[in-house]
Amino acid sequence: MEEFLNKEYVLQSSENFEDYLEFMGINYFSRKIASTLKMVQCLERNEDGTYTFHFKSKLASSQTKFIPGEEFEETKADGVKVKALITFEGDEMTHVQIESNGRTSKHVRKFYHDKLIVTTTAVGFDKTVTRVYELLIK
C-alpha cells in the first residue's frame, strides 16, 4: 500500500451506485445528490500507525480512522453506525460494513498507479457497483 498513500483519486465513472443507495434505504433526494458528487478518495498513514481514509467533495466530506485487521465502529456518511473491518492485501483494500440489522456491504478498492477501482457488493443486492477514480495530478 505504500506507493498509494497520500494520493488523491477523483471519481470518473459509476455503475449501479444509485441502485445500491436505494437498496441501502437512502432517500431519493440524498441518492440524487450522492450520485452527482465528484468524490475524491485518499488513504493516509498516521504517525501512530493507524490509517485514515478520506472521502471529500465540495458538498460533504468524511473520514474513517482505522487499524488494518481490527474491527471498529464507523459512522457512514448517512449517519448510520456500523461495525467495520478494513484489511490490506497487496494493492487491495477491503472494507466490510455490517449494520445493526445484519445488512452487510463489502467495498474492494484496487489501487493502480493511475487509478482506483472500487467494487461494492451487498448481501441481498443482485448487482455490483463499480466506481472508477483517476489519480488527481496537482
Side-chain angles (χ1 to χ4, degrees):
M1 277 303 171
E2 291 295 316
E3 66 185 285
F4 307 113
L5 295 175
N6 304 313
K7 294 185 177 181
E8 294 186 333
Y9 299 86
V10 63
L11 181 65
Q12 295 300 311
S13 66
S14 185
E15 290 178 26
N16 300 319
F17 182 61
E18 192 170 345
D19 293 339
Y20 168 74
L21 295 177
E22 183 176 10
F23 173 80
M24 296 303 288
I26 307 299
N27 70 52
Y28 177 82
F29 182 71
S30 296
R31 287 195 316 265
K32 290 300 178 187
I33 290 174
S35 295
T36 62
L37 294 177
K38 282 286 196 185
M39 294 300 298
V40 174
Q41 297 190 13
C42 179
L43 177 65
E44 297 177 347
R45 184 175 46 232
N46 305 309
E47 289 182 16
D48 64 1
T50 63
Y51 288 80
T52 302
F53 196 71
H54 299 271
F55 303 87
K56 309 171 193 174
S57 77
K58 290 182 180 181
L59 290 179
S61 295
S62 66
Q63 60 186 18
T64 299
K65 187 175 180 178
F66 65 95
I67 297 171
E70 288 189 16
E71 189 175 271
F72 63 99
E73 184 176 281
E74 177 182 8
T75 302
K76 299 188 320 176
D78 61 2
V80 174
K81 291 185 189 268
V82 297
K83 287 184 181 180
L85 177 67
I86 297 176
T87 56
F88 297 147
E89 186 171 329
D91 55 6
E92 288 187 359
M93 181 174 112
T94 301
H95 185 177
V96 176
Q97 298 171 312
I98 304 172
E99 296 183 9
S100 61
N101 63 9
R103 186 168 39 203
T104 302
S105 295
K106 181 178 180 181
H107 315 278
V108 177
R109 292 174 174 88
K110 176 122 171 120
F111 291 86
Y112 298 87
H113 74 281
D114 61 345
K115 64 186 170 187
L116 166 64
I117 298 177
V118 183
T119 54
T120 298
T121 55
V123 174
F125 182 61
D126 63 354
K127 298 178 182 179
T128 298
V129 178
T130 303
R131 303 187 92 198
V132 177
Y133 294 75
E134 288 184 1
L135 181 63
L136 185 61
I137 307 295
K138 294 181 179 182

